[in-house]
Amino acid sequence: MSDADQLPIPASPEPRVEPRAGDADREAVADRLRSAAGEGRIDLGELEERLDRAYAAKTYGELDTLVADLGGRPADGADSGDDVLVLKPKLANIRQSGRWTVPSRIVAECRMMHIEIDFTEAVCPHREVTVEATCGAGHIRLVVPAGWGVRVDGSSTNTGHIVNKATEAAEPGAPTVTVVGHPRSGLIKIKQRRH
């Protein structure tokens, strides 16, 4: 047997193990897909198909492919770096919740649909956040965690249709959300999770 015949066989490279996605990651992508449908960027048939694939996804890579054509926030629900989040549902309600990064300004506008903005699991790098909320016959609901402050800006209109149940003062260092509300026949409701 020649020396060439005795050369060791190179080991196969170990397959790359892709990080596993959890339930919160799948839900964040599902919320993002619903938001895209509400903004008219994907149709309802495609939404159903992508939601099925999102809930069946096992890895971040599988989730990334479902939202790669949507731009904006990455699949983990974090903000893209733009300091404004615009939520304008057209065909379906929007629920912004789970793990996401809060920008300094949020614009929420709806006519007939509903928008929910849930800050309870969000990461907020800002001390002050402004939410500009406008609704026709639809509803806008804000949920803030315990310790956050909320105030309704004096320039808000039709304040009889703004219900603020988050009346605690902000804890030191915690964010304060200023709501500039303009409801018509709809309702803007703000609530606070308790400790």
Side-chain angles (χ1 to χ4, degrees), residues 119-140:
F119 295 95
T120 52
E121 294 180 33
V123 175
C124 186
H126 309 285
R127 292 288 300 277
E128 297 283 337
V129 176
T130 300
V131 177
E132 299 169 18
T134 303
C135 60
H139 293 169
I140 297 176

Side-chain angles (χ1 to χ4, degrees), residues 2 23 36 56 59 61-63 71 73 81 87 91 95 114-116 125 135 143 169 172 180 189:
S2 70
D23 288 341
T59 67
E62 291 174 288
L63 291 175
R73 296 185 306 277
L87 303 172
L91 301 173
R95 185 168 186 255
H114 304 298
I115 299 173
E116 177 171 329
C135 60
V143 183
V180 182
K189 188 170 184 178

Side-chain angles (χ1 to χ4, degrees), residues 35 37-41 88-94 109 112-113:
S35 297
E39 295 162 5
R41 293 193 286 157
K88 294 185 180 182
K90 293 179 182 174
L91 301 173
N93 298 333
I94 291 178
E109 295 179 11
M112 301 294 292
M113 300 298 171

Side-chain angles (χ1 to χ4, degrees), residues 172-191:
T176 295
V177 177
T178 299
V179 178
V180 182
H182 301 291
R184 294 182 185 91
S185 58
L187 182 69
I188 297 172
K189 188 170 184 178
I190 308 153
K191 67 172 288 188

Side-chain angles (χ1 to χ4, degrees), residues 24 27 95-102 118-124 143-145 148 193:
E27 195 57 52
R95 185 168 186 255
Q96 179 72 30
S97 64
R99 188 182 62 189
W100 59 290
T101 301
V102 180
D118 188 339
F119 295 95
T120 52
E121 294 180 33
V123 175
C124 186
V143 183
V144 299
W148 285 34
R193 298 265 189 235

